[in-house]
Amino acid sequence: MEEFRHCYSRLCRESGAEPQETVLQKLQELPRGRLDLATQSLTVDTCRALGKLLQKEALLTELILSDCMLSEEGATLLLQGLCANTIVRFLDLKGNNLQAAGTEALGLLLRQNKSIQSLTLEWNNLGTWEDAFAAFSRALAGNGTLRQLDLRNNQISHKGAEELALALTCNASLQQLDLRWNNIGLLGGRALVNSLPRNRALWRLELAGNNIPGDVLRAVEQAMDRNRERQTTSRENQARAHVLSKEVQHLQEEKSRQFLDLMETIDKQRKEMARSSRASAACVEQLQEALNERHSVINALKAKLQMAEAARALSEQKAQSLGELLAAAEQEQQSLAQKQAKEHRLEQQEAAERESKLLRDLSAANEKNLLLRNQVDELERKVRSRQEQLFLARQELSSKTAELKMRASQAEERLELEKKRSRQSLEDLEQLRAKEVEHMTRHLEESERTMQERVQRLEASRLSLEEELSRVKAAALSERGQAEEELIKAKNQVRLEEQRLAQLEEKLRLLAQARDEAQSACLQQRQAVADAQARASQLGLQVEGLRRRLEELQQELSNTDQEKVAEVSRVRVELQEQNGRLQAELAAQEALREKVAALERRLKVTASDHREALLDRESENASLREKLRLKEAEIARIREEEVQRASFLQNAVLAYVQGSPLRAMSPPK
């Protein structure tokens, strides 16, 4: 307030006048935000300085100028300064005897000022100036901030009351009006009563001391009671609307959190898919390397087989040469018949032992095959148990989604009930809440735009996910096709190896038959060999060496056969392991596909929920706009009817006044 005091002194000196000491003392003693100059006789210069200060002062909220005996010029200067003020809320001009110019300045203040909420004009005789008071009433009709107006003891006649009644039909902000101790009379009271049904904001109207009949006062009280009830219901509806807006905001926050969680899960799934794709690529590379190794091993086996066949061909050639030698030494081998028979028996025993060994090896291989088949069966059972676990997980997911849908439906039902209640209460408050409805429509449009943007982003993310899924599916299918082709090739190679082994066994059988035939031929030629015993001793040594060579070759053939069987069994085991790994990878890919399908379903559900919410909001907006249009049409129709009634009533009152005998006795204006 010290700065306000210095500014007041400076402005007074600039205008060539001395500041009033009483005003300076009051300014020094006043609290912050309140200027009380009651019972101070303010000069025109003081009013001019205060008017200039009030145009810029941003600290005063209450201005009390009661019983200051303001002149017309001083009051006009003060009120002109207040026209540009946006801080003052309370203005007291009680007992200043304002006249026509002051009344017109008050009308200008009500038109231009948008901050004053309480105005006290008691003991000012504003009603004696009918034209100026009519201008004041018209300004009051267009004011939207004033809440309380005190017009006690202002000599307001029934014409002034009619002007106030017209102002009340248009004003939607005034809540308290005090008209006690004026000259309103019966006509003014009826005009005020007729204007009250179109004013729903005024809930306190004081009319004592105005010569108004009791029925009119009771009608005024009933109208005020109705407006009070409307005010209470409007406050309740505002509180409910606030609660509903909070709930809607909470739901939107929950949806945003769910959307963020969904995006996080999608990112995690993307990372898992990328990780699984890298792992599958590494597995495919390992499989390719293993297959390359198997190819190299098979090539080595092929080379060994070729070498064995070459050695066998050499042995056959040697056997033919031996047959020729035996044919040439038939006469020499007769002496060695007994020895050869004994050796033949020994060889048969050895062959039987070898056959028993081969049978034991075959039984062991069969047992290994049975064990491997049992392991495969156990793996299949494990796969079935995993599939059952996946089915149970899917059922749990479906139950959770059903619970979420039930909760959403319950929330929507609660929202519907609250909407019905708010609609029933909003039917009586459409005029007062027009601004709020516009604000809500703007907010809803903004939310619709944001939701549409979110839906677009979701659609874009869904399209990108679908593209990634298609790429992953194509890569998985290609990898699977390659693995299946490699398996088919490996199986074909195994079949070829088995066919070759069968051919080798057939050849060995033929060799054994040829050997038996040769031995029988030797037995038949024993008699011819008796003549060549001398040479047979020498040839016997050679035959022994050749026999040892044959045994070594046969041993090498058996070893190569065993190695081939072991290699084939090992290759089969490795192929079965590869098949198991491939099946595990296929199961993992199927699980990933199921996860992706679940994510796609969740995306579709969220998108459909967003679309349904948008459609509900659009339908609500359309219904609200339609109701607003209907209410505006009804308000326009009611206004036209009230204007017609007012004109009819005014014509009737004028006709009654002009025809009454009191008109001749009334003094001229």
Side-chain angles (χ1 to χ4, degrees), residues 429-439 628 632:
L429 300 170
E430 289 295 334
Q431 290 181 352
L432 296 175
R433 293 188 61 192
K435 295 181 181 179
E436 293 179 359
V437 169
E438 292 176 356
H439 178 69
L628 283 173
E632 287 174 357

Side-chain angles (χ1 to χ4, degrees), residues 23-148:
V23 175
L24 290 173
Q25 291 177 2
K26 287 286 184 181
L27 290 174
Q28 189 172 3
E29 297 172 358
L30 288 177
R32 189 176 183 85
R34 188 170 183 272
L35 178 58
D36 189 358
L37 296 177
T39 68
Q40 302 294 327
S41 298
L42 301 180
T43 61
V44 176
D45 295 327
T46 299
C47 292
R48 183 182 290 107
L50 289 175
K52 291 180 180 179
L53 285 173
L54 288 172
Q55 291 179 356
K56 303 176 182 178
E57 179 60 36
L59 298 175
L60 294 176
T61 58
E62 297 183 13
L63 180 60
I64 301 173
L65 299 174
S66 59
D67 300 320
C68 290
M69 299 304 292
L70 297 175
S71 62
E72 289 290 310
E73 186 179 0
T76 304
L77 291 171
L78 271 173
L79 294 173
Q80 286 177 356
L82 283 171
C83 288
N85 189 283
T86 58
I87 304 299
V88 175
R89 300 285 185 271
F90 180 81
L91 177 60
D92 188 358
L93 293 174
K94 175 183 174 183
N96 282 293
N97 196 19
L98 298 177
Q99 298 180 8
T103 306
E104 292 176 355
L106 282 172
L108 182 64
L109 175 67
L110 291 178
R111 283 193 186 91
Q112 296 183 2
N113 188 275
K114 303 298 180 184
S115 63
I116 294 175
Q117 297 180 359
S118 178
L119 180 59
T120 302
L121 297 173
E122 185 182 0
W123 294 103
N124 277 293
N125 297 325
L126 299 178
T128 56
W129 317 97
E130 293 182 357
D131 296 335
F133 191 74
F136 172 79
S137 299
R138 288 192 294 272
L140 178 63
N143 187 275
T145 56
L146 190 64
R147 301 287 184 271
Q148 184 177 0

Side-chain angles (χ1 to χ4, degrees), residues 345-359:
R345 292 189 190 95
L346 291 172
E347 287 176 357
Q348 285 180 352
Q349 290 176 359
E350 289 176 357
E353 290 176 357
R354 287 175 185 173
E355 287 178 357
S356 62
K357 286 181 181 179
L358 288 172
L359 290 172

Side-chain angles (χ1 to χ4, degrees), residues 282-308:
C283 291
V284 169
E285 290 178 356
Q286 291 176 0
L287 288 172
Q288 188 66 35
E289 291 176 356
L291 286 172
N292 292 328
E293 290 177 358
R294 297 295 176 275
H295 284 302
S296 62
V297 170
I298 289 166
N299 292 324
L301 288 172
K302 287 179 180 179
K304 288 181 179 179
L305 283 171
Q306 290 175 358
M307 292 173 68

Side-chain angles (χ1 to χ4, degrees), residues 230-248 418 421-422 425-426 429 433 436 440:
R230 290 193 186 98
Q231 289 289 330
T232 55
T233 54
S234 67
R235 284 194 291 271
E236 290 177 356
N237 288 324
Q238 287 176 0
R240 288 177 182 174
H242 184 64
V243 171
L244 285 172
S245 63
K246 283 185 178 179
E247 288 183 358
V248 170
E418 292 296 333
R421 293 175 185 172
S422 61
S425 59
L426 283 170
L429 300 170
R433 293 188 61 192
E436 293 179 359
M440 287 296 290

Side-chain angles (χ1 to χ4, degrees), residues 589-607:
Q589 289 178 0
E590 288 178 355
L592 288 173
R593 288 173 186 169
E594 290 175 355
K595 290 180 181 179
V596 170
L599 288 173
E600 288 177 353
R601 287 194 294 272
R602 288 179 63 185
L603 281 172
K604 289 179 181 178
V605 169
T606 52

Side-chain angles (χ1 to χ4, degrees), residues 491-514:
K491 289 178 181 178
N492 292 327
Q493 290 176 359
V494 169
R495 290 194 192 96
L496 292 172
E497 291 295 329
E498 289 176 354
Q499 291 176 0
R500 288 178 181 175
L501 286 172
Q503 291 174 2
L504 288 173
E505 289 175 355
E506 185 67 23
K507 289 179 180 179
L508 286 172
R509 189 177 60 80
L510 293 172
L511 284 173
Q513 289 178 359

Side-chain angles (χ1 to χ4, degrees), residues 557-623:
L557 285 172
S558 63
N559 292 329
T560 53
D561 291 336
Q562 291 176 359
E563 288 176 358
K564 287 177 182 179
V565 171
E567 188 67 21
V568 169
S569 63
R570 187 169 61 82
V571 169
R572 286 178 181 174
V573 170
E574 288 176 354
L575 287 173
Q576 289 176 357
E577 290 176 355
Q578 289 176 3
N579 287 326
R581 287 196 294 271
L582 288 172
Q583 289 177 358
E585 289 176 357
L586 289 172
Q589 289 178 0
E590 288 178 355
L592 288 173
R593 288 173 186 169
E594 290 175 355
K595 290 180 181 179
V596 170
L599 288 173
E600 288 177 353
R601 287 194 294 272
R602 288 179 63 185
L603 281 172
K604 289 179 181 178
V605 169
T606 52
S608 63
D609 292 338
H610 287 303
R611 291 192 188 95
E612 290 175 357
L614 288 172
L615 291 173
D616 292 336
R617 294 287 176 83
E618 288 176 357
S619 62
E620 289 178 1
N621 289 330
S623 61

